[in-house]
Amino acid sequence: AQKITQTQPGMFVQEKEAVTLDCTYDTSDPSYGLFWYKQPSSGEMIFLIYQGSYDQQNATEGRYSLNFQKARKSANLVISASQLGDSAMYFCAMRENTGNQFYFGTGTSLTVIP
Amino acid sequence: DAGVIQSPRHEVTEMGQEVTLRCKPISGHDYLFWYRQTMMRGLELLIYFNNNVPIDDSGMPEDRFSAKMPNASFSTLKIQPSEPRDSAVYFCASTFSFVSKGEQYFGPGTRLTVT
């Protein structure tokens, strides 16, 4: 079974609109961390946001927020007020703390339309 | 801090040649990771080190691949002999422990082309 599933290979959003990128995960480890990374066309991987499995509140970082639904094992990334510079690949990732294992999803390509 | 440094940024080599990729992690980070990214297979974790010791190399594709970390500030990934299917972008990443978030900081990557 896939540890990280990103079901949207490509997404489009109108500039200034909000967009949600889906991520579901699979783990039996009670302690884990969830991450989102952005990879623009230039190729670098940029850390965006983190959510710990014991965190009570959803993480937020500027225009990024993580919609964490633990029971559903989902960790969707919400980008508010999309900008042209948000066009990139977005990867969801998980760290299982007990076994120190790391997993990345296959990514979602986001295109912001002017 | 300068961030994670990788060299070379681009490498073109012929099949059968030895290739060595280099990485300098962020100072103070105690974990170092090597990833490979291709269109077909996405981002794959090859190996990671903790305090210079290899912890998990289950992602290393085959014996042609080897990685070392002789000290806290330097790591190499070697492919010998190289094959066209090794063509990919290779990323190095580092992080400080798992007590905090443990987010990984990635280098700019090395684009390897094997002809």
Side-chain angles (χ1 to χ4, degrees):
Chain A
Q2 291 289 328
K3 285 287 189 176
I4 297 286
T5 302
Q6 295 182 254
T7 58
Q8 306 155 314
M11 289 281 287
F12 293 86
V13 64
Q14 204 75 36
E15 193 178 6
K16 300 181 184 178
E17 297 294 311
V19 63
T20 298
L21 306 184
D22 295 341
C23 173
T24 57
Y25 59 93
D26 180 30
T27 183
S28 57
D29 193 333
S31 177
Y32 53 90
L34 297 158
F35 305 81
W36 278 91
Y37 290 83
K38 173 184 179 181
Q39 186 177 39
S41 58
S42 52
E44 71 268 32
M45 293 282 283
I46 303 166
F47 165 70
L48 294 178
I49 195 167
Y50 164 84
Q51 180 84 41
S53 58
Y54 295 119
D55 293 344
Q56 294 296 313
Q57 292 189 322
N58 288 342
T60 60
E61 291 285 349
R63 294 186 299 108
Y64 304 109
S65 60
L66 201 152
N67 184 1
F68 181 45
Q69 299 188 44
K70 195 170 183 177
R72 293 186 177 184
K73 293 188 175 178
S74 75
N76 298 340
L77 177 70
V78 180
I79 304 175
S80 62
S82 297
Q83 301 173 355
L84 295 179
D86 294 334
S87 294
M89 282 289 289
Y90 289 82
F91 292 92
C92 180
M94 176 176 66
R95 180 194 78 228
E96 292 177 330
N97 293 344
T98 302
N100 289 340
Q101 294 295 314
F102 306 87
Y103 308 93
F104 274 81
T106 52
T108 294
S109 176
L110 177 67
T111 302
V112 180
I113 304 167
Chain B
D1 202 320
V4 176
I5 298 172
Q6 290 187 248
S7 65
R9 295 292 308 275
H10 301 272
E11 177 79 36
V12 180
T13 191
E14 291 183 348
M15 181 174 63
Q17 296 298 307
E18 178 180 294
V19 175
T20 299
L21 311 181
R22 297 172 175 79
C23 175
K24 176 179 169 56
I26 292 173
S27 177
H29 281 190
D30 53 354
Y31 281 84
L32 183 140
F33 308 83
W34 282 101
Y35 291 90
R36 177 172 69 176
Q37 186 176 37
T38 60
M39 289 293 292
M40 290 297 295
R41 300 176 69 90
L43 194 66
E44 303 172 275
L45 175 63
L46 300 177
I47 185 172
Y48 76 91
F49 296 82
N50 176 218
N51 292 323
N52 314 338
V53 176
I55 302 299
D56 185 352
D57 65 354
S58 59
M60 296 286 264
E62 48 198 276
D63 292 345
R64 298 185 297 107
F65 285 69
S66 63
K68 294 181 179 180
M69 192 165 186
N71 57 61
S73 60
F74 183 66
S75 177
T76 59
L77 178 68
K78 186 177 292 187
I79 308 172
Q80 166 63 20
S82 58
E83 297 181 3
R85 59 192 169 123
D86 302 330
S87 296
V89 178
Y90 290 81
F91 286 102
C92 175
S94 70
T95 191
F96 175 66
S97 182
F98 291 158
V99 176
S100 60
K101 295 177 185 179
E103 70 272 26
Q104 297 178 29
Y105 292 86
F106 282 74
T110 295
R111 182 172 296 277
L112 173 65
T113 303
V114 183
T115 60

